[in-house]
Coordinates of all heavy atoms in Angstrom, one line a residue:
V1 N 41.5 113.4 88.3 CA 41.5 113.0 86.9 C 41.4 111.5 86.8 O 42.1 110.7 87.5 CB 42.8 113.4 86.2 CG1 42.9 112.9 84.8 CG2 42.9 115.0 86.3
R2 N 40.4 111.0 86.0 CA 40.2 109.6 85.8 C 40.7 109.2 84.4 O 40.5 109.9 83.5 CB 38.7 109.2 85.9 CG 38.2 109.5 87.3 CD 36.7 109.2 87.4 NE 36.5 107.8 87.2 CZ 35.6 107.2 86.4 NH1 34.9 108.0 85.6 NH2 35.4 105.9 86.3
R3 N 41.4 108.0 84.4 CA 42.0 107.5 83.1 C 41.0 106.5 82.5 O 40.7 105.5 83.2 CB 43.4 107.0 83.3 CG 44.3 108.0 83.9 CD 45.5 107.4 84.6 NE 44.9 106.6 85.7 CZ 45.7 105.8 86.5 NH1 47.0 105.8 86.4 NH2 45.1 105.1 87.5
L4 N 40.6 106.6 81.3 CA 39.6 105.8 80.7 C 40.2 105.1 79.4 O 40.7 105.7 78.5 CB 38.4 106.6 80.3 CG 37.8 107.5 81.3 CD1 36.8 108.5 80.7 CD2 37.1 106.7 82.4
Q5 N 40.0 103.7 79.4 CA 40.1 103.0 78.2 C 38.8 103.1 77.5 O 37.8 103.1 78.1 CB 40.4 101.5 78.5 CG 41.9 101.2 78.8 CD 42.2 99.7 78.7 OE1 41.6 99.0 77.8 NE2 43.0 99.3 79.6
I6 N 38.9 103.2 76.1 CA 37.7 103.2 75.3 C 37.7 102.1 74.3 O 38.6 101.9 73.6 CB 37.5 104.6 74.6 CG1 37.5 105.7 75.6 CG2 36.3 104.6 73.7 CD1 37.5 107.1 75.0
K7 N 36.6 101.3 74.4 CA 36.5 100.2 73.4 C 35.2 100.4 72.6 O 34.2 100.9 73.2 CB 36.4 98.8 74.2 CG 37.6 98.5 75.0 CD 38.8 98.4 74.2 CE 40.0 98.0 75.1 NZ 41.3 98.0 74.3
G8 N 35.2 100.0 71.4 CA 34.1 100.3 70.5 C 33.7 99.0 69.7 O 34.5 98.2 69.4
R9 N 32.4 99.0 69.4 CA 31.9 97.9 68.5 C 30.8 98.5 67.7 O 29.9 99.1 68.2 CB 31.4 96.8 69.4 CG 30.8 95.6 68.7 CD 31.7 95.1 67.6 NE 32.5 94.0 67.9 CZ 33.4 93.5 67.1 NH1 33.7 94.2 66.0 NH2 34.1 92.5 67.4
C10 N 30.8 98.2 66.4 CA 29.8 98.7 65.5 C 28.8 97.5 65.3 O 29.2 96.4 64.9 CB 30.4 99.1 64.1 SG 29.2 99.8 63.0
L11 N 27.6 97.7 65.7 CA 26.6 96.6 65.6 C 25.7 96.9 64.4 O 24.8 97.8 64.4 CB 25.8 96.6 66.9 CG 26.6 96.3 68.2 CD1 25.7 96.4 69.4 CD2 27.3 94.9 68.1
L12 N 25.8 96.1 63.4 CA 25.0 96.2 62.2 C 23.7 95.4 62.4 O 23.6 94.5 63.3 CB 25.7 95.7 61.0 CG 27.1 96.3 60.7 CD1 27.8 95.7 59.5 CD2 26.9 97.8 60.4
K13 N 22.7 95.6 61.6 CA 21.4 94.9 61.8 C 21.6 93.4 61.7 O 20.8 92.7 62.3 CB 20.4 95.4 60.7 CG 20.0 96.8 61.0 CD 18.9 97.3 60.0 CE 18.4 98.6 60.5 NZ 18.6 99.7 59.6
N14 N 22.5 92.9 60.9 CA 22.7 91.5 60.7 C 23.9 91.0 61.5 O 24.4 89.9 61.3 CB 22.9 91.1 59.3 CG 24.0 91.8 58.6 OD1 24.7 92.7 59.3 ND2 24.4 91.5 57.4
S15 N 24.3 91.7 62.6 CA 25.4 91.3 63.4 C 25.1 90.1 64.2 O 24.0 89.9 64.7 CB 25.8 92.4 64.3 OG 26.4 93.5 63.7
K16 N 26.1 89.3 64.4 CA 26.0 88.1 65.2 C 26.0 88.6 66.7 O 26.8 89.4 67.1 CB 27.1 87.1 65.0 CG 27.2 86.5 63.6 CD 28.4 85.7 63.5 CE 28.5 85.2 62.1 NZ 29.7 84.4 61.9
P17 N 25.2 88.0 67.6 CA 25.2 88.3 69.0 C 26.6 87.8 69.6 O 27.2 86.9 69.1 CB 24.0 87.6 69.6 CG 23.7 86.5 68.6 CD 24.2 86.9 67.3
G18 N 27.0 88.5 70.6 CA 28.2 88.0 71.3 C 29.5 88.5 70.7 O 30.5 87.9 70.9
Q19 N 29.4 89.6 69.9 CA 30.7 90.1 69.3 C 31.6 90.5 70.4 O 31.2 91.0 71.5 CB 30.4 91.3 68.4 CG 29.7 90.9 67.1 CD 29.5 92.2 66.3 OE1 30.4 93.0 66.2 NE2 28.4 92.2 65.5
R20 N 32.9 90.4 70.2 CA 33.9 90.7 71.2 C 34.4 92.1 71.0 O 34.4 92.7 69.9 CB 35.0 89.7 71.2 CG 34.5 88.3 71.6 CD 35.7 87.4 71.6 NE 35.2 86.1 71.9 CZ 35.4 85.5 73.0 NH1 36.0 86.1 74.0 NH2 34.9 84.3 73.2
L21 N 34.9 92.7 72.1 CA 35.6 94.0 72.1 C 37.1 93.7 72.1 O 37.6 92.6 72.3 CB 35.3 94.8 73.3 CG 33.8 95.2 73.5 CD1 33.7 95.9 74.8 CD2 33.5 96.2 72.4
G22 N 37.9 94.7 71.8 CA 39.3 94.6 71.9 C 39.8 94.3 73.3 O 39.1 94.4 74.3
R23 N 41.0 93.8 73.4 CA 41.6 93.3 74.6 C 41.8 94.5 75.6 O 42.2 95.6 75.2 CB 42.9 92.7 74.3 CG 43.6 92.1 75.5 CD 44.9 91.4 75.0 NE 45.7 91.0 76.2 CZ 46.6 91.7 76.7 NH1 46.8 92.9 76.3 NH2 47.3 91.3 77.8
I24 N 41.4 94.3 76.8 CA 41.7 95.2 77.9 C 42.9 94.8 78.6 O 43.0 93.7 79.2 CB 40.5 95.3 78.9 CG1 39.2 95.7 78.2 CG2 40.8 96.2 80.1 CD1 37.9 95.6 79.0
D25 N 44.0 95.7 78.5 CA 45.3 95.4 79.1 C 45.2 95.7 80.6 O 45.3 96.8 81.0 CB 46.4 96.1 78.4 CG 47.7 95.7 78.8 OD1 47.9 95.0 79.9 OD2 48.7 96.0 78.1
T26 N 45.1 94.7 81.4 CA 45.0 94.9 82.9 C 46.3 95.2 83.5 O 46.3 95.6 84.7 CB 44.4 93.6 83.6 OG1 45.3 92.5 83.3 CG2 43.0 93.3 83.0
R27 N 47.4 95.1 82.8 CA 48.7 95.5 83.4 C 49.0 97.0 83.3 O 49.9 97.5 84.0 CB 49.8 94.7 82.6 CG 49.7 93.2 82.7 CD 50.7 92.5 81.8 NE 50.2 92.9 80.4 CZ 50.9 92.7 79.3 NH1 52.1 92.2 79.4 NH2 50.4 93.0 78.1
K28 N 48.2 97.7 82.5 CA 48.4 99.1 82.4 C 47.6 99.9 83.4 O 46.7 99.3 84.1 CB 48.0 99.6 81.0 CG 48.7 98.9 79.9 CD 50.1 99.4 79.7 CE 50.7 98.7 78.5 NZ 52.1 98.8 78.4
D29 N 47.9 101.2 83.6 CA 47.2 102.0 84.6 C 46.0 102.7 83.9 O 46.2 103.3 82.9 CB 48.1 103.1 85.1 CG 49.2 102.6 86.0 OD1 48.9 101.6 86.7 OD2 50.3 103.1 86.1
W30 N 44.8 102.4 84.4 CA 43.6 103.0 84.0 C 42.6 102.9 85.1 O 42.8 102.0 86.0 CB 43.1 102.4 82.7 CG 43.0 100.9 82.7 CD1 44.0 100.1 82.3 CD2 41.9 100.1 83.1 NE1 43.6 98.8 82.5 CE2 42.4 98.7 83.0 CE3 40.7 100.3 83.6 CZ2 41.5 97.7 83.3 CZ3 39.8 99.2 83.8 CH2 40.3 97.9 83.7
D31 N 41.5 103.7 85.1 CA 40.6 103.7 86.2 C 39.2 103.0 85.8 O 38.5 102.5 86.7 CB 40.3 105.1 86.7 CG 41.6 105.8 87.2 OD1 42.2 105.2 88.1 OD2 42.0 106.8 86.6
A32 N 38.9 103.2 84.5 CA 37.6 102.6 84.1 C 37.7 102.4 82.6 O 38.5 102.9 81.9 CB 36.4 103.6 84.4
V33 N 36.7 101.5 82.1 CA 36.6 101.2 80.7 C 35.3 101.7 80.2 O 34.2 101.5 80.8 CB 36.7 99.7 80.4 CG1 36.5 99.4 78.9 CG2 38.0 99.2 80.9
L34 N 35.2 102.4 79.0 CA 34.0 102.8 78.4 C 33.8 101.9 77.2 O 34.7 101.7 76.4 CB 34.1 104.2 77.9 CG 34.3 105.3 78.9 CD1 34.4 106.7 78.2 CD2 33.1 105.3 79.9
M35 N 32.6 101.3 77.1 CA 32.3 100.5 75.9 C 31.2 101.3 75.1 O 30.1 101.6 75.6 CB 31.6 99.2 76.3 CG 31.3 98.3 75.2 SD 30.6 96.7 75.6 CE 29.1 97.1 76.4
V36 N 31.6 101.7 73.9 CA 30.8 102.5 73.0 C 30.2 101.6 71.9 O 31.0 101.0 71.2 CB 31.6 103.6 72.4 CG1 30.8 104.5 71.5 CG2 32.3 104.5 73.5

């Protein structure tokens, strides 16, 4: 079983490049991050 953090970003047509995702807590237990 793999534990996944999921981060998301909605990119609109007029979005600025370089938008950030939510913070990834490296102190918690997880195996991979999915960026949607």
Side-chain angles (χ1 to χ4, degrees):
V1 175
R2 296 178 69 232
R3 301 159 299 177
L4 307 168
Q5 276 196 37
I6 301 173
K7 301 296 180 183
R9 181 47 99 190
C10 185
L11 301 175
L12 304 175
K13 288 184 172 118
N14 58 353
S15 292
K16 296 177 186 175
Q19 291 185 34
R20 296 182 182 256
L21 295 174
R23 184 175 171 273
I24 298 171
D25 191 342
T26 59
R27 298 169 295 167
K28 304 286 187 197
D29 290 328
W30 49 272
D31 301 304
V33 177
L34 298 177
M35 180 178 65
V36 181

